[in-house]
């Protein structure tokens, strides 16, 4: 199936220019998916592994009748931890992306975020933007403190690669505690318990075996099909 696309230029409050893109089917769309990539992805036409995964996911969703909204993201320093400023900058662009497409918005509205993109979506949901999201899928997003979601979200899926290990180092003043490493079957449940909503939220934790932080295959052996799994969670039908 051919993917139709419309790309437009927008501007941040400081004047920085960036592109937004709507990918859509030939006929009427049956859903709207806001797609927020990880920190490794900053432009709509990148060629890295994560870019290719997002491109394949976009194509699959459009083939099932959804329209997909994406945009350029601010470039961040490679291999450095994400900051509050990173998350706020991305959340701002995602909010404007939704605002710019209100006239073509089709329900259900689904939010999908990878890693830093997932944290940016959490910022939006905590601030009540959008007022309601029908489904939220956060990939590789670790939630370490309570997050009160002001937006109405009936269901939220936390998705992790089975090889996405998270390490913690003890405070520098306490040398008695060794570093600790946790697997997603443990920290995924912790993250789920930190999600609190104005209304009841069904939070599900899902593990995809053989995959890493951004759902790329890791190591030898069988691995899950990230694109098929995410397409199923989004719930569009053709």
């Amino acid at each position: 199936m051919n993917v139709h696309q419309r790309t437009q230029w927008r501007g941040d409050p400081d004047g920085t220019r960036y592109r937004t893109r709507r990918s859509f089917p030939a006929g009427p769309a049956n859903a709207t998916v806001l797609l927020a990539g990880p920190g490794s992805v900053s432009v709509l036409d990148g060629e890295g592994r994560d870019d290719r995964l997002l491109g394949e996911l976009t194509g699959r969703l459009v083939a099932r009748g959804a329209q997909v909204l994406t945009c350029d993201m601010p470039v961040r320093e490679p291999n450095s931890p994400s900051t509050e400023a990173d998350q706020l900058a991305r959340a701002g662009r995602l909010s404007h992306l939704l605002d710019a497409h209100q006239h073509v918005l089709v329900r259900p509205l689904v939010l999908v975020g990878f890693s830093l993109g997932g944290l940016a979506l959490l910022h939006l949901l905590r601030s009540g933007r959008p007022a309601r999201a029908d489904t939220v899928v956060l990939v590789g997003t670790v939630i370490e403190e309570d997050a009160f979601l002001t937006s109405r979200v009936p269901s939220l899926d936390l998705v992790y690669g089975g090889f996405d290990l998270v390490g913690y180092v003890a405070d520098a003043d306490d040398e008695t505690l060794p570093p600790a490493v946790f697997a997603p079957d443990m920290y995924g449940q912790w993250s789920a318990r930190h999600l609190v909503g104005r209304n009841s939220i069904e939070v599900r934790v899902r593990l995809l075996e053989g995959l890493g932080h951004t759902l790329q295959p890791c190591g030898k052996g069988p691995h899950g099909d990230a694109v098929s799994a995410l397409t199923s969670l989004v719930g569009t039908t053709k």
Side-chain angles (χ1 to χ4, degrees), residues 2 18 36 44 61 76 123 128 130 133 149 154 161 167 194 228 231:
N2 291 329
Y18 66 93
L44 293 170
L61 292 173
R76 63 185 292 267
H123 268 284
L149 308 188
H194 282 307
S228 293
T231 303

Side-chain angles (χ1 to χ4, degrees), residues 28 48 55 60 87 89 122 128 141 185 206 211 225-226 235:
R60 189 79 64 87
Q87 297 166 28
L122 274 180
T141 303
D185 57 346
R206 304 181 185 272
L211 303 180
D225 182 343

Side-chain angles (χ1 to χ4, degrees), residues 40-55:
S40 59
V41 176
S42 58
V43 293
L44 293 170
D45 47 9
E47 297 180 352
R49 291 200 313 166
D50 291 334
D51 298 272
R52 290 193 291 271
L53 187 149
L54 295 180

Side-chain angles (χ1 to χ4, degrees), residues 9-222:
W9 284 96
R10 302 285 177 183
D12 285 329
D14 64 2
T16 302
R17 301 280 288 170
Y18 66 93
R19 296 167 299 172
T20 66
R21 178 170 294 165
R22 180 169 73 100
S23 303
F24 53 96
N30 58 23
T32 301
V33 180
L34 178 68
L35 185 56
S40 59
V41 176
S42 58
V43 293
L44 293 170
D45 47 9
E47 297 180 352
R49 291 200 313 166
D50 291 334
D51 298 272
R52 290 193 291 271
L53 187 149
L54 295 180
E56 185 177 348
L57 177 60
T58 296
R60 189 79 64 87
L61 292 173
V62 173
R64 292 171 66 92
Q67 62 177 347
V68 179
L69 307 179
T70 53
C71 66
D72 290 329
M73 285 297 185
V75 178
R76 63 185 292 267
E77 190 68 28
N79 302 319
S80 62
S82 69
T83 65
E84 186 83 3
D86 291 331
Q87 297 166 28
L88 287 173
R90 288 169 181 257
R93 288 195 183 180
L94 294 171
S95 179
H96 294 149
L97 179 63
L98 277 175
D99 288 344
H101 291 88
Q102 282 297 322
H103 62 296
V104 293
L105 188 67
V106 176
R107 293 281 180 178
L109 172 62
V110 183
L111 310 182
V112 181
F114 286 72
S115 189
L116 180 53
L119 292 175
L121 288 179
L122 274 180
H123 268 284
L124 285 184
L125 296 172
R126 290 167 69 177
S127 68
R129 301 289 303 270
R132 176 169 67 92
D134 299 283
T135 301
V136 178
V137 180
L138 304 180
V139 178
T141 303
V142 180
I143 306 166
E144 298 178 319
E145 57 185 25
D146 286 350
F148 184 85
L149 308 188
T150 304
S151 302
R152 292 196 55 166
V153 178
S155 68
L156 189 151
D157 288 283
L158 294 172
V159 181
Y160 303 98
F163 287 147
D164 187 10
L165 304 180
V166 173
Y168 291 92
V169 179
D171 189 282
D173 295 331
D174 189 348
E175 299 179 354
T176 65
L177 296 176
V181 177
F182 299 101
D185 57 346
M186 181 175 291
Y187 69 71
Q189 296 300 329
W190 295 345
S191 294
R193 287 195 288 270
H194 282 307
L195 289 168
V196 183
R198 175 176 295 175
N199 303 98
S200 176
I201 305 174
E202 181 184 6
V203 181
R204 301 174 289 251
V205 178
R206 304 181 185 272
L207 305 183
L208 299 183
E209 296 303 322
L211 303 180
H213 181 57
T214 55
L215 303 188
Q216 300 291 348
C218 292
K220 299 180 180 179

